[in-house]
Amino acid sequence: MTLLDDLRTRRRRLGVAATAVGLLAALLTAGPAAATPDPGDGPAASEKVSKSEAAEARAAIKSGEIPGVDEIVHSDNIEHLTNIPKDLLPATNTDLAFQGKYAFAGNNDGFRVFDISNPKAPKTVSQVLCPGGQNDISVSGDLLFLSTDSSRSDNSCNSTTQPATEKSSWEGMKVFDISDKTNPKYVAAVETACGSHTHTLVPERKNIYVYVSSYAPDASFPDCRPPHDGISIIKVPRKAPEKAAVVNFPVLFPGEGPDGGGNPGGPTNPGVTKTSGCHDITVLPSKDLAAGACMGDGILFSIKDPERPKVIDRVQDNVNFAFWHSATFNQRANKVVFTDELGGGGAATCNAEIGPNRGADGIYDIVGKGDHRKLVFRSYFKIDRHQADTEVCVAHNGSLIPVKGRDIMVQAWYQGGISVWDFTNSSKPKEIAYFERGPLTTDRVTTAGSWSAYYYNGYIYSNDIAKGFDVLKISDRRTDPARWVRLGELNVQTQPDYFD
């Protein structure tokens, strides 16, 4: 079956591309260092496809089966309000966080602060150059947290890349004071084992706990040796962030041997990544729960004592899941959606060859009570809009759209775009809206598209890896009630209780 035939499984209605809006901004910290792509989500070098594959992609575009290069398509219930191109931070765009009228956008080169008081015309407030892939980002009060998962010469924002085999190399968490959004100030740094690929905040009144997810140890790395079967927990005093320090390293996968007790991966489980840490953790503080996406394992754990989390249940999917990437609870905390980052964020996996179950979301019900709760698999969800073989497409970061009585979320799929889908029935999830751009090229496999797509105070915000910051509005009777839900702060990996 050709790519053209595959793409005929579903036609896409064409939308109107928004005009790119350029904004002036101030560069707050100087330094020539370039960010290093991270090992898990960083874009792979573009690779040429065969002449026949390129010809099939061009034919699919010509026939209207897939969008043209950079052409925007969307469902009728999605409106693309604006796009703000990248400016002084040219590297890969990454995660998003929100506070009041501000959005904070991570980038492998640093981060950018937007004023989103008018979602149709966001304004850049500041840009901070601080290379350190992937610069996963979150905020709490006057503090901003930035993950560094690339080996650096030191912990400054002027550092350069340096091999992890050198003891003096640094990776970990950086902390900024954002009391003045126009002038964020770097106030603290904490080195963590194997760096910080992602992080999750567990806020308290006086302190903020930071769960640091990292992985990929190596015996030759002085600060990242196996077994690396847990997470670093940092305690940050709100009034004295300079005293931030690691207070625990709980082992989540106990076991004998040099690699601990996580999923052994191949050759025991072919195609599955060996567990050597966690990729991402989502906490639901109102329920004292957390869900960990940990490479070859999915886990559910209690955070009643935030310094000493306790694993309640652990699941594996050695048939269809390659890399457990992220997790999302529903509002009632009786479901978890886990994503599979098949291809590591560098492959075209949304096509008929891969199929509907690999590289998909896995929907799990949480059954039972207390420490006896279990994760029970119900179904997979994957976008059925097949992409060109030049488009890197992967299940990535998303958030709930807060509608009482329904389980709806918006999710990024790299070049698969943005999907809004309903999993109220765990066994029969369905897409209800979408937005995407056509391929960047027809002759090379390229990494682009939405890294994170989150719903915040009535709008969908997306950080596009290549194209910049997008704002969308969904108008649909199933999601309209969410417009009345307002938050003062949102870090998606620290899920709020929307209806408390």
Side-chain angles (χ1 to χ4, degrees), residues 20-43:
V21 181
L23 295 177
L24 296 176
L27 188 63
L28 298 177
T29 57
T36 301
D38 68 84
D41 295 295

Side-chain angles (χ1 to χ4, degrees), residues 87-155:
D87 188 15
L88 299 177
L89 304 174
T92 296
N93 277 339
T94 57
D95 212 3
L96 293 168
F98 304 88
Q99 186 180 83
K101 66 177 184 179
Y102 298 101
F104 303 82
N107 178 287
N108 272 249
D109 278 340
F111 64 93
R112 187 174 182 178
V113 183
F114 291 99
D115 180 336
I116 55 171
S117 52
N118 180 0
K120 294 182 179 180
K123 298 178 181 178
T124 299
V125 175
S126 57
Q127 296 186 70
V128 175
L129 177 65
C130 197
Q134 59 186 17
N135 281 335
D136 190 52
I137 194 168
S138 58
V139 294
S140 183
D142 287 337
L143 299 178
L144 178 147
F145 300 84
L146 210 61
S147 284
T148 299
D149 191 29
S150 62
S151 187
R152 314 297 299 181
S153 56
D154 56 56
N155 64 10

Side-chain angles (χ1 to χ4, degrees), residues 368-487:
K369 295 182 179 180
D371 290 351
H372 299 289
R373 283 171 285 192
K374 298 290 183 182
L375 292 165
V376 179
F377 174 77
R378 294 303 185 203
S379 66
Y380 297 106
F381 170 78
K382 187 176 181 180
I383 58 172
D384 62 356
R385 290 165 286 109
H386 289 161
Q387 307 297 304
D389 286 341
T390 60
E391 294 181 278
V392 169
C393 179
V394 67
H396 224 245
N397 298 338
S399 76
L400 287 184
I401 296 180
V403 178
K404 239 178 187 179
R406 301 196 70 85
D407 299 325
I408 301 175
M409 69 178 291
V410 58
Q411 184 178 354
W413 288 80
Y414 275 27
Q415 286 192 265
I418 296 165
S419 176
V420 179
W421 60 288
D422 187 321
F423 61 104
T424 305
N425 183 336
S426 303
S427 299
K428 295 182 179 179
K430 58 182 180 180
E431 183 176 74
I432 62 176
Y434 68 88
F435 167 91
E436 70 166 281
R437 291 181 170 89
L440 283 183
T441 67
T442 57
D443 61 351
R444 288 182 178 273
V445 178
T446 52
T447 299
S450 181
W451 178 287
S452 298
Y454 299 148
Y455 187 92
Y456 178 69
N457 291 354
Y459 297 87
I460 295 170
Y461 297 90
S462 167
N463 215 16
D464 188 289
I465 291 168
K467 296 297 182 181
F469 185 68
D470 287 305
V471 186
L472 299 94
K473 184 177 181 179
I474 181 169
S475 299
D476 189 288
R477 60 178 178 78
R478 292 163 289 191
T479 60
D480 285 347
R483 295 180 183 179
W484 306 107
V485 178
R486 287 291 182 268
L487 299 176

Side-chain angles (χ1 to χ4, degrees), residues 47-125:
E47 298 179 2
K48 285 187 176 181
V49 297
S50 68
K51 290 183 179 180
S52 61
E53 288 174 322
E56 288 171 353
R58 290 192 293 270
I61 290 172
K62 186 176 181 179
S63 69
E65 299 299 330
I66 67 172
V69 172
D70 277 349
E71 183 180 19
I72 287 178
V73 298
H74 55 80
S75 55
D76 292 338
N77 54 359
I78 285 276
E79 180 184 0
H80 186 212
L81 299 182
T82 192
N83 168 264
I84 310 300
K86 289 192 281 190
D87 188 15
L88 299 177
L89 304 174
T92 296
N93 277 339
T94 57
D95 212 3
L96 293 168
F98 304 88
Q99 186 180 83
K101 66 177 184 179
Y102 298 101
F104 303 82
N107 178 287
N108 272 249
D109 278 340
F111 64 93
R112 187 174 182 178
V113 183
F114 291 99
D115 180 336
I116 55 171
S117 52
N118 180 0
K120 294 182 179 180
K123 298 178 181 178
T124 299
V125 175

